[in-house]
Amino acid sequence: MDDCLFCKIVNGDIPSTKVFEDTFVLAFRDIAPQAPSHILVIPKKHIGSVAEIDTDNSYVIAHIFEVIPAIAEAEGLTGGYRVVSNCGSDAGQTVNHLHFHILGGKALSLEMA
Ligand code: 5GP
Ligand code: ZN
């Protein structure tokens, strides 16, 4: 996707602070952190949002959830963390490339909306 911000980060056209990378997944620090640790985990292959997960690409999603615990452990999030994915405009999705926020490093508010 030529005009996708996170595809540009995957390609290295836009710099990011990487915390994890493998064949399928990239994780990097959010540019505007909402918690002491705020990491975005994305598939390298473009998927628009949770709404585009299907049987062809769900192996990548499974893999994302396999690497999230390792990322959280490396980040020292021993007290726990939140994993969030905003899907669509009502949820406040601002970048249309599927991403999972990992938020932690403090006691998070329980407010969800
Ligand atoms: P959303 O609002 O779509 O759930 O989350 C998008 C996230 O991407 C936001 O938390 C925002 O701060 C982050 N973000 C937007 N542009 C950039 C960027 O250029 N670099 C990084 N590292 N994060 C970004
Ligand atoms: Zn993309």
Side-chain angles (χ1 to χ4, degrees):
M1 294 283 286
D2 290 347
D3 59 347
C4 172
L5 178 65
F6 286 175
C7 282
K8 288 179 182 166
I9 286 179
V10 170
N11 295 335
D13 297 334
I14 292 176
S16 68
T17 306
K18 291 180 192 176
V19 298
F20 178 86
E21 181 172 16
D22 68 12
T23 308
F24 301 116
V25 168
L26 179 67
F28 53 94
R29 297 196 185 281
D30 196 292
I31 204 168
Q34 304 298 308
S37 287
H38 188 170
I39 293 166
L40 301 174
V41 189
I42 70 171
K44 286 188 168 177
K45 177 179 176 292
H46 184 89
I47 300 170
S49 73
V50 166
E52 293 183 14
I53 296 171
D54 58 26
T55 51
D56 290 335
N57 61 29
S58 60
Y59 69 96
V60 181
I61 312 307
H63 186 63
I64 285 174
F65 278 86
E66 287 165 4
V67 302
I68 282 173
I71 293 169
E73 186 177 353
E75 192 72 0
L77 302 179
T78 53
Y81 52 92
R82 182 172 293 158
V83 180
V84 176
S85 188
N86 296 318
C87 178
S89 56
D90 279 1
Q93 183 178 6
T94 58
V95 179
N96 292 324
H97 180 130
L98 177 63
H99 50 283
F100 295 90
H101 300 255
I102 302 175
L103 296 147
K106 69 171 187 181
L108 300 166
S109 156
L110 290 178
E111 248 175 64
M112 296 295 281

